[in-house]
Short mmCIF file of all heavy atoms in Angstrom, two decimals:
data_model
loop_
_atom_site.label_atom_id
_atom_site.label_comp_id
_atom_site.label_asym_id
_atom_site.label_seq_id
_atom_site.Cartn_x
_atom_site.Cartn_y
_atom_site.Cartn_z
N GLU A 1315 10.51 -2.49 -9.70
CA GLU A 1315 11.35 -1.63 -8.80
C GLU A 1315 12.74 -2.17 -8.67
O GLU A 1315 13.73 -1.43 -8.67
CB GLU A 1315 10.68 -1.57 -7.43
CG GLU A 1315 9.42 -0.70 -7.40
CD GLU A 1315 8.56 -0.83 -6.18
OE1 GLU A 1315 8.69 -1.93 -5.52
OE2 GLU A 1315 7.82 0.05 -5.87
N ILE A 1316 12.88 -3.49 -8.65
CA ILE A 1316 14.23 -4.07 -8.57
C ILE A 1316 15.00 -3.70 -9.83
O ILE A 1316 16.21 -3.40 -9.71
CB ILE A 1316 14.14 -5.62 -8.40
CG1 ILE A 1316 13.58 -5.89 -7.01
CG2 ILE A 1316 15.51 -6.24 -8.59
CD1 ILE A 1316 13.23 -7.36 -6.80
N MET A 1317 14.40 -3.63 -10.94
CA MET A 1317 15.05 -3.45 -12.24
C MET A 1317 15.36 -1.88 -12.36
O MET A 1317 16.42 -1.56 -12.95
CB MET A 1317 14.18 -3.85 -13.39
CG MET A 1317 14.18 -5.36 -13.55
SD MET A 1317 12.79 -5.85 -14.64
CE MET A 1317 13.48 -5.38 -16.22
N HIS A 1318 14.55 -1.08 -11.87
CA HIS A 1318 14.69 0.41 -12.22
C HIS A 1318 14.91 1.32 -11.11
O HIS A 1318 15.19 2.52 -11.35
CB HIS A 1318 13.40 0.88 -13.00
CG HIS A 1318 13.08 0.03 -14.23
ND1 HIS A 1318 13.96 -0.03 -15.27
CD2 HIS A 1318 12.07 -0.76 -14.50
CE1 HIS A 1318 13.47 -0.86 -16.24
NE2 HIS A 1318 12.30 -1.36 -15.72
N ASP A 1319 14.85 0.86 -9.85
CA ASP A 1319 15.00 1.76 -8.66
C ASP A 1319 16.17 1.24 -7.83
O ASP A 1319 15.95 0.25 -7.08
CB ASP A 1319 13.66 1.74 -7.96
CG ASP A 1319 13.66 2.75 -6.84
OD1 ASP A 1319 14.73 3.01 -6.19
OD2 ASP A 1319 12.60 3.26 -6.45
N THR A 1320 17.28 1.88 -7.91
CA THR A 1320 18.47 1.43 -7.17
C THR A 1320 18.25 1.36 -5.68
O THR A 1320 18.65 0.36 -4.98
CB THR A 1320 19.68 2.35 -7.44
OG1 THR A 1320 19.74 2.57 -8.85
CG2 THR A 1320 20.98 1.72 -7.02
N GLU A 1321 17.60 2.35 -5.08
CA GLU A 1321 17.37 2.37 -3.68
C GLU A 1321 16.48 1.18 -3.22
O GLU A 1321 16.71 0.54 -2.22
CB GLU A 1321 16.73 3.71 -3.25
CG GLU A 1321 17.73 4.89 -3.25
CD GLU A 1321 19.05 4.52 -2.59
OE1 GLU A 1321 19.04 4.09 -1.43
OE2 GLU A 1321 20.11 4.74 -3.26
N LYS A 1322 15.40 0.99 -3.98
CA LYS A 1322 14.47 -0.14 -3.67
C LYS A 1322 15.25 -1.47 -3.79
O LYS A 1322 15.04 -2.40 -3.03
CB LYS A 1322 13.34 -0.19 -4.66
CG LYS A 1322 12.27 0.87 -4.39
CD LYS A 1322 11.24 0.41 -3.37
CE LYS A 1322 10.33 1.54 -2.91
NZ LYS A 1322 9.46 2.02 -3.93
N ARG A 1323 16.15 -1.57 -4.76
CA ARG A 1323 16.93 -2.82 -4.97
C ARG A 1323 17.84 -3.04 -3.75
O ARG A 1323 17.92 -4.16 -3.29
CB ARG A 1323 17.76 -2.62 -6.27
CG ARG A 1323 18.45 -3.94 -6.66
CD ARG A 1323 18.86 -3.92 -8.16
NE ARG A 1323 19.77 -2.92 -8.48
CZ ARG A 1323 19.54 -1.89 -9.32
NH1 ARG A 1323 18.39 -1.76 -9.91
NH2 ARG A 1323 20.46 -0.99 -9.61
N LYS A 1324 18.50 -1.94 -3.38
CA LYS A 1324 19.41 -2.10 -2.18
C LYS A 1324 18.57 -2.49 -0.93
O LYS A 1324 19.01 -3.34 -0.14
CB LYS A 1324 20.14 -0.81 -1.91
CG LYS A 1324 21.14 -0.47 -2.99
CD LYS A 1324 21.90 0.81 -2.70
CE LYS A 1324 22.92 1.01 -3.74
NZ LYS A 1324 23.72 2.29 -3.44
N TYR A 1325 17.44 -1.87 -0.81
CA TYR A 1325 16.54 -2.20 0.28
C TYR A 1325 16.15 -3.67 0.25
O TYR A 1325 16.18 -4.36 1.32
CB TYR A 1325 15.32 -1.28 0.11
CG TYR A 1325 14.24 -1.57 1.14
CD1 TYR A 1325 14.22 -0.96 2.41
CD2 TYR A 1325 13.13 -2.37 0.80
CE1 TYR A 1325 13.15 -1.24 3.32
CE2 TYR A 1325 12.11 -2.62 1.68
CZ TYR A 1325 12.16 -2.04 2.92
OH TYR A 1325 11.20 -2.30 3.79
N TYR A 1326 15.88 -4.25 -0.93
CA TYR A 1326 15.43 -5.57 -1.10
C TYR A 1326 16.60 -6.53 -0.67
O TYR A 1326 16.38 -7.50 0.01
CB TYR A 1326 15.05 -5.79 -2.51
CG TYR A 1326 14.48 -7.16 -2.86
CD1 TYR A 1326 13.25 -7.53 -2.29
CD2 TYR A 1326 15.19 -8.07 -3.59
CE1 TYR A 1326 12.71 -8.78 -2.60
CE2 TYR A 1326 14.58 -9.34 -3.94
CZ TYR A 1326 13.41 -9.66 -3.43
OH TYR A 1326 12.86 -10.91 -3.65
N ASP A 1412 28.05 -2.34 -1.95
CA ASP A 1412 27.05 -1.41 -1.47
C ASP A 1412 25.62 -1.87 -1.76
O ASP A 1412 24.73 -1.17 -2.20
CB ASP A 1412 27.30 -0.07 -2.14
CG ASP A 1412 26.48 1.03 -1.42
OD1 ASP A 1412 26.09 0.84 -0.26
OD2 ASP A 1412 26.18 2.14 -2.06
N TYR A 1413 25.40 -3.20 -1.54
CA TYR A 1413 24.07 -3.81 -1.63
C TYR A 1413 23.46 -3.74 -3.01
O TYR A 1413 22.27 -3.78 -3.22
CB TYR A 1413 23.13 -3.29 -0.58
CG TYR A 1413 23.45 -3.68 0.75
CD1 TYR A 1413 24.40 -3.09 1.55
CD2 TYR A 1413 22.81 -4.89 1.30
CE1 TYR A 1413 24.82 -3.59 2.77
CE2 TYR A 1413 23.22 -5.37 2.55
CZ TYR A 1413 24.15 -4.73 3.28
OH TYR A 1413 24.51 -5.22 4.50
N ASP A 1414 24.34 -3.57 -4.01
CA ASP A 1414 23.87 -3.64 -5.43
C ASP A 1414 24.75 -4.58 -6.26
O ASP A 1414 25.50 -4.18 -7.10
CB ASP A 1414 23.87 -2.21 -6.09
CG ASP A 1414 23.19 -2.24 -7.38
OD1 ASP A 1414 22.52 -3.24 -7.76
OD2 ASP A 1414 23.23 -1.22 -8.09
N ARG A 1416 26.34 -7.23 -8.86
CA ARG A 1416 26.22 -7.29 -10.32
C ARG A 1416 26.79 -8.56 -10.78
O ARG A 1416 27.67 -9.19 -10.14
CB ARG A 1416 26.94 -6.08 -10.95
CG ARG A 1416 26.36 -4.76 -10.63
CD ARG A 1416 24.93 -4.67 -11.12
NE ARG A 1416 24.20 -3.42 -10.72
CZ ARG A 1416 23.74 -2.65 -11.66
NH1 ARG A 1416 23.81 -2.94 -12.97
NH2 ARG A 1416 23.06 -1.53 -11.30
#
Side-chain angles (χ1 to χ4, degrees):
E1315 288 168 334
I1316 291 168
M1317 289 166 71
H1318 304 296
D1319 184 331
T1320 313
E1321 286 314 308
K1322 287 272 170 68
R1323 187 160 65 242
K1324 291 181 175 182
Y1325 174 84
Y1326 186 67
D1412 195 21
Y1413 288 85
D1414 190 9
R1416 294 302 176 119

